[in-house]
Amino acid sequence: MTITDLLRQEVVPAIGCTEPIAVALCVAKAKEELGQEPEEIVVRLSKNIYKNAMAVGIPNTGMTGLPIAIALGATAGHSAYMLEVLRDADEAAVTYAKGYMERTPIRIEVAEDAPDILYIHTLVRAGEAQAEATIQGTHTHFLPPEEEAVKKQCSTNISETSTEAKADILPSLRAVWEYAMTVDLEEVVWLQEGAEMNIRAAETSFRGNYGHGLGRLLHSSTQAPLSNCQIGDVFGDTLFTKILSYTCGACDARMSGAMVQVMSNSGSGNQGISCSVPVYLYAKERGCSREQTIRALTLSNLTVVYIKQSLGRLSALCGCVVAATGSAVGITYLMGGGYEEITYAIKNMIANISGMICDGAKPGCALKVTSGVGTAILSASLAMQHSYADASEGIVEEDIDRTIHNLTRIGHDGMTQTDDLILDIMTHKEKNN
């Protein structure tokens, strides 16, 4: 596998939040193996999948959570579409799925013994027939039957092998930089198309009422006459405000269940949005060339892939931290920075927002996206002045790769108990009557 292959594997289109969508994908695959509509469905999930699917909108349904995602996977899903598995979930399909959900037993369990942090197992039955499917390691990796048998006999974590393979392909930040600066543009031009896809998702949010409306609120301050003088006085019609409004606007739309396609990164639509939209808009507004734009998007996306390969697909560390770090790198390059300056930008990011937790996918993710992207622009600006957090500060080290690995060690190894506590709090909140 080449770095280009790795990029194409990790940066793909998606519709809806990728955790419930991956569950719908797994159900669709099991349904296809069964060969008929299931009469009973049992889904077992790792804690992180369950956490990220509890409160997020499901495309085109006006509903949140797993039951409707499972019902759509069983009735309208096509596994060949992968993370766009619900592409055909039009109004009629959603109406049917809602009825199916009411009459069909659907059981959802947290798999305490899950062999991977990203794990989905589906068992479907109809009469005497039954079928199953398992996703493990990444949002679209189905275990073949023989691997499923091996998994039941040992605790081998298949995603660790995948991570080691990726590390051989992309061993350092220097490798990220050299690839982005030398790759034939035609091999990565689709990254610009992906950024434009994410821009369209943001524009959808400006025309509707999605999530907390943060993107639309910020967007209003860039319009004349100002629709909200108070917010306009604070933010105004600036590039900074435009970047924030478009980035969190795209997040508003997808977290609330808009039927919008986005380009994801490392299994997350919000990560794909956060590492592409700020870079694309900065390049466009500053009149950067086509080559500069594509190389900056390559640099940003690949930085995210590099960091995520040691952090893991899911963790208690918010993915916006990683994605915004990608944006900081891409914007620093567009500001005229070289390799030295992008290392400064990363150190500034890690010194600032490395403690941001992930408490599930939800409309409030737009707030975290805004915090991450705002910090990215500040970090890039400081980096260009050669002002950065040095090795005397916190988890930052002189070596940039060690600094990154310090961050991912905390997220992957150090926050396991935090992750368990977050899920416990989320599942035991008092319900308001």
Side-chain angles (χ1 to χ4, degrees):
M1 178 183 284
T2 65
I3 294 178
T4 302
D5 294 332
L6 181 60
L7 258 180
R8 286 198 171 275
Q9 174 183 292
E10 299 294 343
V11 183
V12 297
I15 296 175
C17 176
T18 49
E19 277 70 57
I21 291 302
V23 175
L25 173 63
C26 195
V27 171
K29 182 70 169 179
K31 182 270 304 269
E32 291 161 4
E33 294 294 326
L34 185 66
Q36 57 186 302
E37 191 173 275
E39 297 171 359
E40 179 184 1
I41 302 173
V42 180
V43 175
R44 299 183 73 244
L45 310 170
S46 58
K47 294 176 182 178
N48 288 75
I49 291 288
Y50 184 77
K51 177 183 74 175
N52 276 358
M54 286 176 61
V56 70
I58 306 304
N60 213 31
T61 66
M63 300 175 68
T64 62
L66 283 166
I68 186 62
I70 291 169
L72 278 170
T75 58
H78 298 284
S79 66
Y81 293 167
M82 303 303 276
L83 290 181
E84 297 178 281
V85 61
L86 301 185
R87 186 194 301 171
D88 296 338
D90 57 16
E91 185 176 345
V94 169
T95 299
Y96 181 83
K98 289 178 179 179
Y100 174 84
M101 183 174 64
E102 294 299 321
R103 66 177 181 269
T104 305
I106 296 175
R107 192 164 82 244
I108 303 166
E109 303 173 352
V110 175
E112 299 290 345
D113 59 344
D116 195 280
I117 200 167
L118 197 164
Y119 175 78
I120 305 164
H121 178 264
T122 301
L123 176 66
V124 294
R125 297 189 180 97
E128 297 298 316
Q130 70 175 41
E132 57 187 321
T134 302
I135 287 176
Q136 182 175 321
T138 72
H139 291 78
T140 56
H141 180 254
F142 286 99
L143 289 187
E146 60 272 19
E147 283 193 44
E148 174 70 20
V150 170
K151 177 186 69 64
K152 292 177 179 178
Q153 297 173 23
C154 67
S155 60
T156 300
N157 186 327
I158 63 163
S159 68
E160 289 181 355
T161 302
S162 177
T163 298
E164 291 169 1
K166 290 176 187 175
D168 289 338
I169 300 166
L170 202 62
S172 65
L173 185 69
R174 174 68 73 174
V176 170
W177 170 262
E178 291 179 353
Y179 174 86
M181 294 302 103
T182 60
V183 63
D184 185 333
L185 294 184
E186 298 312 309
E187 288 190 35
V188 290
V189 67
W190 55 275
L191 292 174
Q192 179 171 325
E193 297 164 3
E196 291 165 351
M197 181 189 300
N198 294 342
I199 292 290
R200 291 192 291 273
E203 291 169 344
T204 296
S205 78
F206 301 153
R207 297 190 296 268
N209 185 22
Y210 297 99
H212 300 303
L214 180 57
R216 187 173 62 175
L217 177 67
L218 290 170
H219 184 64
S220 72
S221 73
T222 68
Q223 306 303 297
L226 294 175
S227 60
N228 185 324
C229 292
Q230 187 176 26
I231 198 71
D233 290 343
V234 173
F235 288 97
D237 184 8
T238 67
L239 176 56
F240 183 77
T241 306
K242 185 172 185 177
I243 287 173
L244 294 183
S245 69
Y246 271 79
T247 310
C248 66
C251 179
D252 282 333
R254 69 181 299 271
M255 289 290 97
S256 300
M259 183 60 88
V260 293
Q261 185 184 45
V262 301
M263 188 65 81
S264 68
N265 185 304
S266 302
S268 167
N270 284 349
Q271 288 174 184
I273 291 165
S274 298
C275 75
S276 64
V277 170
V279 174
Y280 177 83
L281 286 178
Y282 186 92
K284 183 177 180 181
E285 294 297 313
R286 287 288 180 257
C288 297
S289 69
R290 175 177 179 269
E291 177 175 356
Q292 289 172 317
T293 301
I294 295 172
R295 294 205 185 282
L297 287 167
T298 305
L299 189 57
S300 180
N301 275 279
L302 200 57
T303 296
V304 176
V305 172
Y306 172 59
I307 298 174
K308 290 291 288 186
Q309 71 185 15
S310 57
L311 176 62
R313 273 294 200 272
L314 302 172
S315 74
L317 179 68
C318 178
C320 294
V321 174
V322 179
T325 299
S327 272
V329 166
I331 291 171
T332 300
Y333 163 74
L334 291 173
M335 287 178 170
Y339 179 74
E340 183 180 11
E341 286 76 20
I342 73 165
T343 68
Y344 298 160
I346 293 173
K347 289 178 180 181
N348 288 337
M349 291 294 293
I350 291 176
N352 190 342
I353 58 172
S354 55
M356 189 185 294
I357 64 167
C358 171
D359 54 347
K362 59 202 175 301
C365 287
L367 294 163
K368 297 189 179 187
V369 164
T370 305
S371 297
V373 172
T375 301
I377 296 169
L378 294 173
S379 295
S381 300
L382 282 173
M384 291 304 296
Q385 298 179 49
H386 284 212
S387 180
Y388 62 96
D390 63 26
S392 68
E393 302 182 50
I395 64 173
V396 174
E397 296 199 36
E398 185 67 30
D399 182 83
I400 189 61
D401 294 300
R402 286 181 59 86
T403 300
I404 289 170
H405 291 153
N406 290 344
L407 172 71
T408 59
R409 279 181 61 204
I410 291 170
H412 186 273
D413 302 328
M415 297 179 76
T416 302
Q417 187 174 355
T418 302
D419 220 13
D420 292 339
L421 182 57
I422 290 169
L423 182 61
D424 182 70
I425 291 171
M426 290 174 65
T427 54
H428 292 89
K429 288 189 291 187
E430 292 184 10
K431 303 298 181 182
N432 294 322
N433 295 322

